[in-house]
């Protein structure tokens, strides 16, 4: 059976008066991520990795930020929608690996909660979802605390008739 691989990348600006939601987990912080939806940068990177592996375009095509339907959208609900699309196309998630690049706050113990949250949305075991954290080392927009970036890789099992 053939394996399908996809990559995802996203970044959002940090701003006052916004919630900081990472992989569906709200993290108390002085500021949050700015965007049309809830700006869950990690969920967005995972969505793009899944769409990439499935050959289904990108998040902007599926959930355009010009569409009022997606204003303040719960990105985990969007992720679940993508998972359902992949499932109905006969593809199965093998694993997802992602890296959050954020200067502060440190993820610490929240990393396990984020992993659980993503695994629930992906409908797979937590061992198939890996969440890593990195910083900008004081360099660039992440290092200056201006924004947060996320990268993800997803592996899908192709439908039996497509291998
Ligand atoms: Mg985004």
């Amino acid at each position: 059976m053939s394996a399908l691989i996809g990559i995802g990348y996203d970044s959002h600006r940090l701003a006052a008066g916004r919630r900081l939601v990472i992989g569906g987990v709200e993290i108390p912080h002085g500021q949050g991520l700015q965007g049309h939806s809830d700006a869950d940068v990690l969920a967005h990177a995972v969505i793009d990795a899944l769409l990439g592996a499935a050959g289904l375009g990108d998040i902007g095509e599926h959930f355009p930020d010009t569409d009022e339907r997606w204003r303040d959208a719960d990105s985990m609900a969007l992720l679940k929608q993508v998972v359902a699309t992949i499932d109905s196309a006969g593809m199965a998630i093998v694993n997802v690996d992602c890296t959050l690049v954020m200067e502060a706050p440190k993820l610490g113990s929240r990393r396990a909660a984020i992993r659980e949250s993503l695994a629930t949305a992906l409908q797979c075991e937590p061992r198939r979802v890996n969440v890593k954290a990195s910083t900008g080392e004081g360099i660039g927009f992440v290092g200056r605390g201006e924004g947060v970036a996320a990268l993800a890789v997803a592996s899908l099992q192709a439908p039996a008739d497509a291998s």
Side-chain angles (χ1 to χ4, degrees), residues 51 55 61 63 76 83 93 112 154:
L51 290 172
E61 289 174 49
F63 311 107
M76 296 303 279
V83 170
I93 294 167

Side-chain angles (χ1 to χ4, degrees), residues 15-78:
R18 292 279 301 183
R19 297 186 309 141
L20 180 62
V21 183
I22 303 290
V25 175
E26 187 162 347
I27 299 173
H29 191 49
Q31 43 188 358
L33 295 174
Q34 208 167 40
H36 184 67
S37 65
D38 64 4
D40 186 335
V41 66
L42 189 60
H44 294 181
V46 170
I47 286 172
D48 259 356
L50 291 171
L51 290 172
L56 292 172
D58 66 25
I59 189 170
E61 289 174 49
H62 291 260
F63 311 107
D65 63 8
T66 49
D67 191 329
E68 282 304 307
R69 270 185 301 169
W70 314 123
R71 180 174 295 281
D72 298 324
D74 172 1
S75 297
M76 296 303 279
L78 307 185

